[in-house]
Amino acid sequence: MSISFYYAPMSTSSITEAVLAELSVDYQGVELDIDAGDTRTEAFLKLNPNGRVPVIVHEGVIIWESVAITLYLGETFGTEKALFPESGPSRGEAMKWVVWSNINLADAAGKLAAELPPDAPGAVQQGSQDFVEIEQRRPQALLKARQTLHHCFEILNGALADRHFLLNDYSLVDTHVFVLVAWALSMELELSAFPNIDAWFARCAQRPVLAAMMSDGQ
Ligand SMILES: N[C@@H](CCC(=O)N[C@@H](CS)C(=O)NCC(=O)O)C(=O)O
């Protein structure tokens, strides 16, 4: 049975879109407009009570959370395509980076996006449930998010010192982390202090799927 994929442009669901494209897996896409409230309709909340994309439905089973989706698609379709490790220590390493990137890097990037002035590049807009009212914003929260993101980049830069990709060869782990790093960079962060990430980012951007995503501005 084919996969249904609920997504919104320029959102966390870009990770899943890139993973599906790398795997060449067929799916039926359902586009939602976050600003128009499509993620908070009764029908969508039945699929994901968190009111968030991405969501996939595979063989009648609903899966949300981008980490769960990447790991599920990786183990289901990725091993035979050499894009995800077989069960074993390498699989553990894959899980480490995918989970870390959401819990640490994406969390910090999300906090930064919510604290930036609404007209700044990458800032959360009023239609999103992550929008923070202007009067509730605190300069310390903005600073803390920037510091945490910087620390995440230090960790990633260190990990890439002796390898071209996170698991040595290109894998869905790079796809997942790349989309999150691209999101962070859309907030006018730059990589001059992180040469290993910079070089890895350029290598990943040569993948046709990621090159297309970058040129579409997703
Ligand atoms: N932890 C979730 C986060 C997903 C998420 O935050 N999605 C946002 C778009 S980037 C969303 O759907 N927001 C809907 C809304 O604000 O109503 C994941 O990784 O899947």
Side-chain angles (χ1 to χ4, degrees):
M1 199 190 287
S2 91
I3 294 177
S4 301
F5 169 42
Y6 296 78
Y7 70 97
M10 312 271 285
S11 77
T12 311
S13 54
S14 300
I15 298 173
T16 304
E17 191 175 344
V19 166
L20 286 163
E22 284 285 5
L23 291 168
S24 304
V25 169
D26 283 339
Y27 64 86
Q28 289 161 336
V30 182
E31 182 171 335
L32 304 178
D33 181 343
I34 293 175
D35 291 342
D38 292 351
T39 44
R40 290 178 294 272
T41 62
E42 204 181 321
F44 185 72
L45 291 171
K46 280 189 185 142
L47 279 178
N48 184 358
N50 300 291
R52 290 176 185 270
V53 286
V55 176
I56 64 165
V57 184
H58 190 206
E59 298 185 355
V61 176
I62 301 164
I63 307 171
W64 25 261
E65 287 299 325
S66 58
V67 166
I69 295 170
T70 295
L71 298 179
Y72 172 70
L73 293 173
E75 72 169 25
T76 306
F77 304 105
T79 54
E80 65 192 27
K81 293 177 176 161
L83 282 169
F84 199 71
E86 301 281 352
S87 175
S90 275
R91 171 77 63 87
E93 195 178 25
M95 291 164 139
K96 173 182 81 176
W97 284 115
V98 172
V99 171
W100 172 85
S101 67
N102 270 51
I103 290 182
N104 295 271
L105 199 153
D107 182 67
K111 285 179 175 148
L112 179 59
E115 294 290 337
L116 284 170
D119 57 351
V124 170
Q125 299 303 306
Q126 195 140 23
S128 163
Q129 45 176 309
D130 296 325
F131 185 77
V132 177
E133 295 301 336
I134 306 291
E135 59 277 10
Q136 288 173 350
R137 296 184 183 202
R138 293 168 301 132
Q140 305 96 296
L142 186 72
L143 183 63
K144 177 72 184 156
R146 279 194 198 285
Q147 286 170 340
T148 307
L149 210 42
H150 187 90
H151 186 47
C152 287
F153 277 10
E154 284 174 340
I155 291 169
L156 192 57
N157 196 60
L160 288 163
D162 64 349
R163 52 188 65 195
H164 275 187
F165 297 106
L166 283 161
L167 304 183
N168 291 311
D169 294 325
Y170 184 83
S171 73
L172 297 179
V173 174
D174 300 290
T175 317
H176 189 108
V177 178
F178 176 92
V179 178
L180 291 175
V181 170
W183 173 39
L185 297 179
S186 76
M187 289 178 257
E188 293 189 323
L189 301 180
E190 42 122 333
L191 291 176
S192 50
F194 307 105
N196 303 330
I197 304 181
D198 200 16
W200 163 84
F201 195 84
R203 280 192 289 274
C204 291
Q206 286 172 13
R207 301 282 303 180
V209 164
L210 298 178
M213 183 165 274
M214 295 296 281
S215 70
D216 288 353
Q218 290 200 40

